[in-house]
Amino acid sequence: MADEVRIISPQRHGLSAVEPGPPLKLLSYTTTTDRLVMLMGCIFCVIYGELAGTFQRFGNDVIGPHELNSEVARFALYFIYLGIGIFVFVFAGTVTFFLWGDRIIHRLRVDYLKSIIRQDIAFFDILGSGQITSSLTSDIYLVQDALSAKLSLTLTSVATCTSAFVIIFVESWRLALVLLSAVVGIAIANSVGTRYAVRYNKGALDALAKSNSIAEEALRSYKHVTAFGIRQPLVDKYGKQLNHARSQSTKARAAIALMTAAFMGIVYLSSGLSFWQGSRFLVRGEATTSGVIACSMAVIICALAISKVAPNAQAFTTGAAGASRLLLYMNRHSPQDPFDEGGMRPNIVKGEITFKSVKLVYPSRPDYTALDDINLLFTPGKLTAVVGASGCGKSSMIGLMERFYEPISGSITLDGVDICSLNLSWLRQQMALVGQEPVLFKASIYDNIKHGLSYATRSASAIPKQDEREKVIRAATIANAHLFISALPQGYDTQVGDEGRELSGGQLQRIAIARALIRDPKILLLDEATAALDAESENIILRNLERNQSQRTTILITHRLTTVRNADKIVMMANGHVAELGTHDELVQAGGIYATAFARQDTNGISMIKTEREGIDASHESVDDAEVQSQPFRGDVAAAQSVWSLVRLAYNFNREERSYVAFGLLCCLVTGAITPVQSIFFAKSIQWLSVPPPQFSDLRSHINFWSLLYLVLGLVAFGAWSGQGLCLAYCSEALTRNARASALQSILRQDVEFFDRPINSTGDLMAILSRSATHLAGLGGAVLSTILTAFATLVGGIILSLIIGWKLALVFIATIPLILASGWLRLRILASMDANVRATYSDSAAYAAEAVAAIRTVAAFSLEESILQSYQEALDEVAARIFRSTLISSALYAASQAIVFPIAALGFWYGGTLIADGSYTSFQFFVCFSALVSGSQSVSAVFNFAPDLNRAVHGAQDFCRLLHTMPAMDSLDSRGVVRSSCNGLVEFQNVSFEYRNRPGRYAVQDLSFRITPGQTIAFVGRSGSGKSTVIALLERFYDPTSGDVLIDGHNLRHLDVQSLRSYMSLVGQNSVLYQGTIRENLTLGLGRSIVTNGEIEQACAEANILEFIQGLPDGLNTEVGSRGTTLSGGERQRIAIARALLRNPTILLLDEATSALDGESEDIVQEALAAVSRGRATIMVAHRLRTVRDAHVIFVMEKGLVVERGNHEQLLKAGGRYAELFHAQSLEERKA
């Protein structure tokens, strides 16, 4: 047991660090150049803070009793210089921080993806790809936001506060020591607030990652979701995780809100303390009037600086939480690392593989033994077939050879060398794997086949382009794919779509075989590689493989025993052990398990008709991407939306929180009004501090009064900032939660045609659910509160100034449009820049997510370097695009910040003139100056959030597109007729259908048939002949181009879609399971809450899966892992069949439903299906003709046309196409 733990633990948790040391830190992604840039940016920000800090000294000198006119002019000129300096340094600091942040995030993206794709397969089995990819689409954006924009703003404000306290120490060290209490209070509030905020944000991000995993599984299986009507259960499951994320994130935002409120309350209390204690020092002669005023002004500057930085606290804490998640995965050391350069690389490879007493336990299922005491020899130049019942351990041997997993005992050798001592990437390059459910990437057919070449061959023009193309065509020819590819409009340049959706199962599998053959491997691993092929294609491929068999070791895993008769060795597996071993004849003569299974699959010994014909149709499965884009799709909506319409969208998501929104906005108005009110307190305090010594007794009483009002103001500030922060935090989290849930509900509501669009790939849709939802919060929460507070400050300042001194107020008001114009222009530039890079960032994120989802294919073909190179190139393209826009937007931002100082200069000059000629008192001047300059600075600070607002607008547009897209076949449309019962009478009347992206090419043409309850019909034919299209039309994934489909005499177009599908059960070739237990998967979408164990066990028994489930330690409560990866293909398919039977459908649809089953399981399931078919209509699509022999009517399809119809005996007697296909699947003529 200790040895098992020693082997399994590193696969579950990763290796310990090779050398002890600190964990990977985020700033370790800085190069020396980056550190210098960061230092320069900090210096710029510090200089900016120092210059801003001198503002109060200028103000103090201006109001001196002597030389007023000349001093006003001189200091007004200083303000002009200050504005110029501010522009230069803010521009330089903003540009450097943006570029530094982008460079860091650029490398972080690449290194995160590299860290992920280098992990062992057990890592993905346990977590699921959805949780991992959420960091690519969400967490990295949080870190980027915190590092680039928010970091420079925060450092600027911190520098301003620091310089302000330096000034306080210079002017009055005694008063400075007293005011240090404010620093202590702020530090305590910051420590407590950030600690809780980061903790809760980590919990929120973990919950969001789990919700993303649920959403990704649903989106990748949209046809299954549609067919079974399980949209709402999955949305509910998704919403449950979102609720947990919302709870955690609300707590984090509450901590930030209270921390910010504490900051603001402490600062205003400090202002009162400064005047109160300063007046005491002044009376005792320990401070001067100018010193106390300077210190008090410095505190006001601190308040303005903190008000600017406070909204960034949320970005910092979420960025810190996101960074911790990223670094958690990046610090994990994989026990099987394809980037590890260590290990042997033999020059000569024969291909002899030996299993010696091998035992395997999967890390995700440590209580289940998959293989036990396996001793096998796979001889070079020979074909070894591994057969057996589903779940017996066949595919587990493939996983061990590829080193996806490590055996807990025993060893595996290649040419006598333990494979654990070989370089992992080199080892995998000696092999080529084709699985039962092959994965293609979103690229052309040519590029997908080319992926099979080794990385050294693929890169740097290792071989001429012409030679490379010849290799691709040769591999496709051997895989029987060249003719159907050549028949496509764009041939090898045809795009296969997201996950190869534009191809049929057979076409996809043949391209995967070509990808494996192009590398001419020493070891060829075929794991049910021909399960989705018709017999003719299968025979052609196997015959082509036999010609080159002497050059490689071939290991074939299959359920079709007819394909292994000529194997040099056959391994019969049972319950994780080698049950029998020998040639076909030896095992048949032994009369054991193999002989029994073979006899069951023997179709009367009819000899095989050898054929070399191919002619596979490509009627609809291969789609030209250009044609797809040129065709209009239903449900398109304009991407452009007005800002107010987007705000209304956000408001609708917060409809239930309207009272909180109203109270939060009211608090924003209060916080905005605090600054103008404070300007009155400030001016009055300065007025009394300026009195001569004989009036010091009155000074103390009046200063006490105004200091007491400062105390009240501080308490009001704390309450108002707390109110707005808590309410808007609650509403903001409700907004993102409701937006995500509504978006997923809208997506899963769409018809199948929606997912055929290139812009609706799984990666793109997941980016909206994760990233765009986060950005949407920019229309609420901290950004909205900052905007409202700033404009409340400005409006309050204008009103107050007009009342106190309208002349000076009008001069200030005339300059405000300049600030607004620069900020608005910056927003437009950012919008243009964001529109240019969004598509590229989205494509790169989708590409990375696709690689993670297809990690087994990436690992098997050593595509890690190729994936990283393509990802790097996509990110480099983004970096080149944003540089120029960053310069322009930074210049406009610097202008919005710098223009405040010329405005202040104008105010000083004109105000000084009014004081000099006796028109205004110093009280009027300081009220107007403080209120309006503070208001102008608040408005300029709003444009700090221009990137957030711009991203929020784009995020809202994404959601508008999803929510306003109405499907042609809407499962929620209640206008259709709801049938209370269904008899199962199915009719196709002259049905023809062409896919919208392939006009003029019929997938089904003039199809007519009638099926009565209790009758079974079957569709057979070559891959791509239109068989599955019939099921798609019956499920109403699409509507016929012409003709009608009827059930019980009712046209499907007139029936309620959801009700219609509830009478059907679909079992497809690629079975779909969701993360959760076996019980949850079986009962998902049943439409009833109570399902007894007896019903479940009966369905499982009919699907021949009950015994397997009962043998598991947790039985029905066993977790199946992400997408059911902890189960074998046959086990997944039997569970899918049990799920279909549990629905007790009126119409049963079987699309290659038993293709992944062994012969024994297939016979048992076929018998069960035959039994349950009584009284219901059954439509079968199959390549194995032995499974359709009992069908009442068999339709033979070619190129969308029915070429033959009849029962099995009639079609055999006719001697046509069916007879030819049937003979091609029979056993070869037995040797004498």
Side-chain angles (χ1 to χ4, degrees):
M1 182 62 69
D3 290 338
E4 291 186 10
V5 173
R6 180 179 57 83
I7 297 295
I8 293 176
S9 179
Q11 296 182 72
R12 288 180 62 88
H13 309 295
L15 297 172
S16 301
V18 177
E19 296 180 1
L24 188 63
K25 298 296 183 183
L26 191 62
L27 294 185
S28 63
Y29 283 91
T30 57
T31 63
T32 301
T33 302
D34 290 328
R35 294 189 184 100
L36 291 175
V37 169
M38 181 183 177
L39 177 62
M40 188 165 57
C42 291
I43 293 174
F44 288 149
C45 292
V46 170
I47 292 175
Y48 171 36
E50 291 291 345
L51 291 174
T54 59
F55 175 80
Q56 51 85 28
R57 290 192 295 177
F58 295 160
N60 180 54
D61 290 338
V62 169
I63 61 171
H66 306 293
E67 302 177 347
L68 178 60
N69 289 329
S70 61
E71 288 298 307
V72 165
R74 182 165 65 89
F75 284 113
L77 188 60
Y78 285 167
F79 269 102
I80 299 295
Y81 297 153
L82 260 179
I84 296 173
I86 290 295
F87 176 85
V88 172
F89 291 123
V90 170
F91 172 76
T94 304
V95 169
T96 53
F97 267 101
F98 262 104
L99 296 181
W100 169 77
D102 284 339
R103 284 170 61 90
I104 292 245
I105 296 302
H106 185 290
R107 277 192 298 276
L108 183 62
R109 290 178 192 272
V110 174
D111 282 3
Y112 176 76
L113 181 59
K114 182 176 182 179
S115 299
I116 291 302
I117 62 177
R118 78 192 309 168
Q119 298 300 327
D120 55 305
I121 299 300
F123 173 77
F124 299 90
D125 290 344
I126 296 170
L127 281 181
S129 60
Q131 294 191 49
I132 299 168
T133 55
S134 69
S135 293
L136 278 170
T137 55
S138 179
D139 293 349
I140 285 183
Y141 282 93
L142 297 177
V143 176
Q144 182 178 23
D145 186 42
L147 274 184
S148 53
K150 303 298 188 290
L151 182 59
S152 62
L153 298 175
T154 301
L155 286 178
T156 296
S157 297
V158 170
T160 300
C161 290
T162 302
S163 61
F165 269 91
V166 169
I167 292 169
I168 294 174
F169 268 99
V170 171
E171 294 292 344
S172 174
W173 64 269
R174 293 182 178 85
L175 185 57
L177 292 177
V178 173
L179 294 179
L180 279 179
S181 60
V183 177
V184 175
I186 290 175
I188 293 174
N190 179 72
S191 176
V192 175
T194 54
R195 180 182 305 172
Y196 282 100
V198 171
R199 177 195 300 177
Y200 289 125
N201 270 319
K202 286 181 179 179
L205 292 178
D206 288 340
L208 280 178
K210 293 178 181 178
S211 68
N212 285 338
S213 183
I214 296 170
E216 186 190 40
E217 286 185 330
L219 295 180
R220 292 190 185 279
S221 60
Y222 62 91
K223 285 188 178 180
H224 179 84
V225 173
T226 302
F228 277 76
I230 57 176
R231 172 185 55 83
Q232 196 56 51
L234 289 177
V235 170
D236 292 341
K237 187 177 180 182
Y238 180 66
K240 187 176 181 180
Q241 289 296 334
L242 289 181
N243 289 337
H244 181 60
R246 174 188 175 182
S247 173
Q248 294 293 302
S249 189
T250 301
K251 292 177 182 178
R253 287 181 180 269
I256 293 297
L258 294 176
M259 180 184 75
T260 303
F263 286 174
M264 301 310 298
I266 289 172
V267 167
Y268 285 114
L269 291 177
S270 298
S271 294
L273 178 62
S274 175
F275 283 117
W276 180 76
Q277 186 62 45
S279 65
R280 296 180 64 187
F281 288 147
L282 178 64
V283 170
R284 294 202 299 258
E286 297 174 348
T288 63
T289 300
S290 60
V292 174
I293 295 175
C295 292
S296 301
M297 189 63 190
V299 174
I300 301 301
I301 290 175
C302 283
L304 290 173
I306 290 175
S307 67
K308 291 180 181 180
V309 74
N312 298 333
Q314 177 64 28
F316 277 122
T317 55
T318 54
S324 68
R325 279 174 45 83
L326 292 171
L327 299 179
L328 175 66
Y329 294 151
M330 297 174 70
N331 283 319
R332 185 183 188 274
H333 297 270
S334 172
Q336 292 105 25
D337 186 356
F339 292 102
D340 188 352
E341 294 296 328
M344 299 170 57
R345 303 169 187 256
N347 295 323
I348 300 175
V349 178
K350 297 178 181 178
E352 180 181 272
I353 298 180
T354 307
F355 279 60
K356 300 177 180 178
S357 304
V358 170
K359 181 179 180 181
L360 171 66
V361 173
Y362 284 111
S364 57
R365 291 170 61 187
D367 51 0
Y368 177 75
T369 301
L371 294 174
D372 192 13
D373 195 27
I374 301 298
N375 291 279
L376 284 174
L377 173 65
F378 298 93
T379 309
K382 303 295 183 181
L383 169 62
T384 302
V386 183
V387 299
S390 301
C392 66
K394 304 184 299 297
S395 298
S396 297
M397 287 194 283
I398 298 289
L400 289 174
M401 293 180 205
E402 289 276 4
R403 283 197 67 196
F404 292 162
Y405 307 97
E406 298 289 349
I408 62 172
S409 65
S411 64
I412 304 171
T413 63
L414 173 61
D415 296 340
V417 180
D418 193 321
I419 62 172
C420 292
S421 63
L422 297 173
N423 178 270
L424 180 59
S425 181
W426 177 90
L427 171 67
R428 290 173 177 169
Q429 288 175 20
Q430 311 311 308
M431 304 179 184
L433 170 64
V434 184
Q436 179 183 348
E437 298 177 2
V439 176
L440 298 186
F441 294 94
K442 190 178 180 181
S444 66
I445 293 175
Y446 183 92
D447 288 337
N448 270 282
I449 296 177
K450 190 177 71 172
H451 279 150
L453 295 171
S454 66
Y455 177 71
T457 305
R458 290 193 302 269
S459 61
S461 301
I463 59 175
K465 191 70 176 177
Q466 183 60 35
D467 292 347
E468 179 186 89
R469 191 166 189 86
E470 290 177 359
K471 282 178 174 287
V472 170
I473 294 175
R474 188 182 308 118
T477 302
I478 297 174
N480 195 31
H482 176 64
L483 290 183
F484 98 76
I485 296 173
S486 301
L488 299 172
Q490 291 189 324
Y492 282 86
D493 295 326
T494 299
Q495 298 292 315
V496 303
D498 191 27
E499 298 183 324
R501 290 175 182 170
E502 308 299 342
L503 302 175
S504 71
Q507 292 168 342
L508 188 150
Q509 206 155 29
R510 278 177 281 166
I511 292 174
I513 293 173
R515 178 177 61 192
L517 295 177
I518 194 174
R519 73 189 325 174
D520 192 21
K522 289 294 183 180
I523 303 167
L524 181 61
L525 307 174
L526 304 174
D527 187 0
E528 293 286 354
T530 59
L533 300 182
D534 58 273
E536 187 172 339
S537 295
E538 182 181 45
N539 291 331
I540 292 173
I541 293 171
L542 292 177
R543 196 171 293 112
N544 289 339
L545 293 177
E546 287 177 6
R547 295 192 183 105
N548 300 315
Q549 185 172 302
S550 60
Q551 303 173 15
R552 63 172 65 97
T553 302
T554 305
I555 301 174
L556 174 63
I557 292 177
T558 183
H559 287 128
R560 298 187 191 179
L561 301 187
T562 57
T563 63
V564 305
R565 179 169 178 173
N566 293 328
D568 298 287
K569 183 193 300 181
I570 299 174
V571 180
M572 188 71 189
M573 298 289 296
N575 299 321
H577 295 82
V578 176
E580 295 177 3
L581 183 65
T583 64
H584 169 77
D585 292 337
E586 291 170 350
L587 295 178
V588 169
Q589 291 174 5
I593 301 175
Y594 177 84
T596 303
F598 179 77
R600 186 178 294 111
Q601 292 190 19
D602 190 348
T603 56
N604 300 323
I606 302 174
S607 62
M608 178 184 298
I609 295 178
K610 297 185 178 181
T611 176
E612 297 293 335
R613 296 189 305 172
E614 179 171 302
I616 305 302
D617 177 42
S619 57
H620 78 270
E621 290 83 0
S622 303
V623 179
D624 177 11
D625 192 57
E627 289 182 330
V628 173
Q629 295 174 358
S630 65
Q631 294 296 318
F633 280 80
R634 284 171 288 191
D636 281 351
V637 294
Q641 300 280 341
S642 69
V643 174
W644 287 114
S645 68
L646 301 178
V647 171
R648 286 197 300 271
L649 172 71
Y651 176 76
N652 288 333
F653 284 133
N654 276 144
R655 188 174 298 275
E656 295 183 1
E657 292 79 27
R658 284 178 295 183
S659 57
Y660 293 96
V661 173
F663 185 74
L665 297 183
L666 178 62
C667 289
C668 289
L669 297 179
V670 173
T671 55
I674 286 176
T675 299
V677 171
Q678 183 270 154
S679 66
I680 297 177
F681 298 175
F682 180 74
K684 280 293 186 182
S685 298
I686 289 179
Q687 185 181 28
W688 281 105
L689 285 174
S690 302
V691 299
Q695 299 181 19
F696 275 2
S697 59
D698 293 334
L699 178 152
R700 288 289 301 127
S701 62
H702 282 86
I703 289 295
N704 287 345
F705 172 74
W706 292 109
S707 296
L708 182 61
L709 289 183
Y710 262 113
L711 173 63
V712 174
L713 190 66
L715 296 177
V716 171
F718 177 80
W721 280 86
S722 297
Q724 77 165 39
L726 293 174
C727 289
L728 294 181
Y730 180 80
C731 297
S732 179
E733 290 306 315
L735 185 151
T736 54
R737 187 268 176 213
N738 294 337
R740 286 187 170 103
S742 299
L744 182 63
Q745 191 157 26
S746 179
I747 292 170
L748 297 182
R749 176 187 182 180
Q750 303 301 320
D751 52 26
V752 172
E753 203 169 69
F754 171 85
F755 296 92
D756 291 339
R757 301 182 60 189
I759 62 171
N760 293 328
S761 67
T762 300
D764 291 328
L765 294 175
M766 284 303 302
I768 294 176
L769 290 176
S770 56
R771 186 181 67 244
S772 295
T774 303
H775 292 166
L776 183 63
L779 293 177
V783 176
L784 181 61
S785 65
T786 301
I787 294 174
L788 291 176
T789 299
F791 280 97
T793 298
L794 180 61
V795 172
I798 290 174
I799 294 174
L800 179 63
S801 299
L802 288 173
I803 295 174
I804 299 297
W806 63 270
K807 292 182 180 180
L808 185 57
L810 290 177
V811 172
F812 274 116
I813 293 171
T815 62
I816 291 176
L818 297 175
I819 300 176
L820 297 178
S822 60
W824 181 82
L825 286 174
R826 185 188 185 221
L827 185 61
R828 298 289 296 178
I829 292 295
L830 287 174
S832 175
M833 176 181 70
D834 190 68
N836 289 331
V837 303
R838 270 172 61 86
T840 306
Y841 263 136
S842 179
D843 289 344
S844 63
Y847 178 76
E850 183 183 35
V852 172
I855 188 62
R856 289 176 182 265
T857 301
V858 171
F861 285 89
S862 299
L863 296 175
E864 294 88 359
E865 291 286 357
S866 178
I867 294 292
L868 286 177
Q869 181 180 357
S870 299
Y871 189 59
Q872 177 86 45
E873 290 171 355
L875 294 179
D876 289 342
E877 181 182 351
V878 176
R881 289 184 182 183
I882 66 174
F883 179 75
R884 182 172 179 271
S885 298
T886 298
L887 294 179
I888 298 175
S889 65
S890 297
L892 291 171
Y893 170 65
S896 69
Q897 302 301 299
I899 201 170
V900 173
F901 291 89
I903 291 174
L906 177 62
F908 264 107
W909 174 79
Y910 187 60
T913 302
L914 292 175
I915 292 174
D917 64 15
S919 299
Y920 274 26
T921 64
S922 61
F923 169 75
Q924 290 177 294
F925 171 78
F926 271 105
V927 169
C928 294
F929 183 84
S930 178
L932 287 175
V933 170
S934 297
S936 299
Q937 287 182 326
S938 298
V939 172
S940 68
V942 166
F943 297 111
N944 296 343
F945 297 95
D948 303 82
L949 186 59
N950 178 64
R951 287 193 291 266
V953 169
H954 281 290
Q957 287 175 346
D958 288 336
F959 281 98
C960 276
R961 179 177 71 85
L962 290 180
L963 298 176
H964 294 165
T965 300
M966 299 303 297
M969 287 162 281
D970 189 355
S971 59
L972 299 183
D973 189 348
S974 60
R975 292 176 297 177
V977 177
V978 178
R979 300 278 296 169
S980 59
S981 63
C982 178
N983 297 321
L985 176 62
V986 179
E987 294 180 83
F988 273 52
Q989 297 179 348
N990 305 112
V991 171
S992 296
F993 174 72
E994 60 181 14
Y995 288 88
R996 291 177 60 84
N997 48 32
R998 299 302 304 276
R1001 305 191 66 174
Y1002 284 99
V1004 171
Q1005 190 169 355
D1006 198 26
L1007 176 63
S1008 296
F1009 67 85
R1010 175 187 174 94
I1011 176 172
T1012 58
Q1015 194 175 26
T1016 298
I1017 68 170
F1019 289 88
V1020 300
R1022 293 167 172 164
S1023 302
S1025 60
K1027 304 182 300 295
S1028 296
T1029 302
V1030 176
I1031 289 182
L1033 292 172
L1034 189 55
E1035 281 279 4
R1036 213 181 164 213
F1037 293 160
Y1038 307 95
D1039 280 331
T1041 305
S1042 63
D1044 297 304
V1045 181
L1046 292 83
I1047 289 184
D1048 293 346
H1050 297 271
N1051 195 311
L1052 296 193
R1053 289 187 174 94
H1054 304 150
L1055 297 179
D1056 179 80
V1057 178
Q1058 192 168 358
S1059 174
L1060 166 70
R1061 291 169 180 159
S1062 68
Y1063 293 115
M1064 302 181 188
S1065 277
L1066 170 63
V1067 182
Q1069 178 183 345
N1070 296 328
S1071 53
V1072 176
L1073 296 183
Y1074 300 98
Q1075 195 159 21
T1077 65
I1078 294 176
R1079 181 189 299 275
E1080 290 171 346
N1081 275 277
L1082 288 171
T1083 58
L1084 187 64
L1086 284 182
R1088 48 196 173 102
S1089 57
I1090 300 177
V1091 184
T1092 65
N1093 283 339
E1095 293 178 281
I1096 295 176
E1097 290 175 359
Q1098 181 181 351
C1100 291
E1102 292 173 347
N1104 195 30
I1105 192 66
L1106 180 60
E1107 184 178 349
F1108 164 76
I1109 295 175
Q1110 291 176 339
L1112 296 172
D1114 294 327
L1116 288 170
N1117 295 321
T1118 300
E1119 292 283 340
V1120 301
S1122 177
R1123 301 165 75 177
T1125 53
T1126 62
L1127 303 176
S1128 71
E1131 291 163 353
R1132 290 197 298 270
Q1133 201 156 28
R1134 282 183 284 168
I1135 290 176
I1137 293 171
R1139 176 174 55 198
L1141 297 178
L1142 195 59
R1143 286 168 63 93
N1144 191 25
T1146 304
I1147 302 171
L1148 185 60
L1149 307 175
L1150 306 174
D1151 188 359
E1152 295 286 356
T1154 59
S1155 61
L1157 302 184
D1158 58 276
E1160 181 179 359
S1161 295
E1162 184 177 45
D1163 284 344
I1164 295 174
V1165 171
Q1166 285 292 339
E1167 292 175 4
L1169 291 176
V1172 300
S1173 294
R1174 299 187 186 98
R1176 60 167 54 99
T1178 303
I1179 299 178
M1180 303 175 63
V1181 169
H1183 284 129
R1184 297 190 195 179
L1185 301 189
R1186 63 186 299 272
T1187 64
V1188 303
R1189 294 176 61 177
D1190 296 328
H1192 296 92
V1193 183
I1194 301 172
F1195 293 85
V1196 183
M1197 300 194 68
E1198 278 195 6
K1199 299 182 179 180
L1201 293 169
V1202 174
V1203 295
E1204 293 177 12
R1205 70 176 65 192
N1207 60 34
H1208 174 72
E1209 288 75 15
Q1210 292 170 343
L1211 293 176
L1212 279 183
K1213 289 178 181 179
R1217 185 63 184 137
Y1218 177 83
E1220 181 181 344
L1221 291 170
F1222 182 77
H1223 295 326
Q1225 288 189 25
S1226 63
L1227 299 173
E1228 291 183 352
E1229 186 176 2
R1230 292 180 172 87
K1231 297 179 181 179

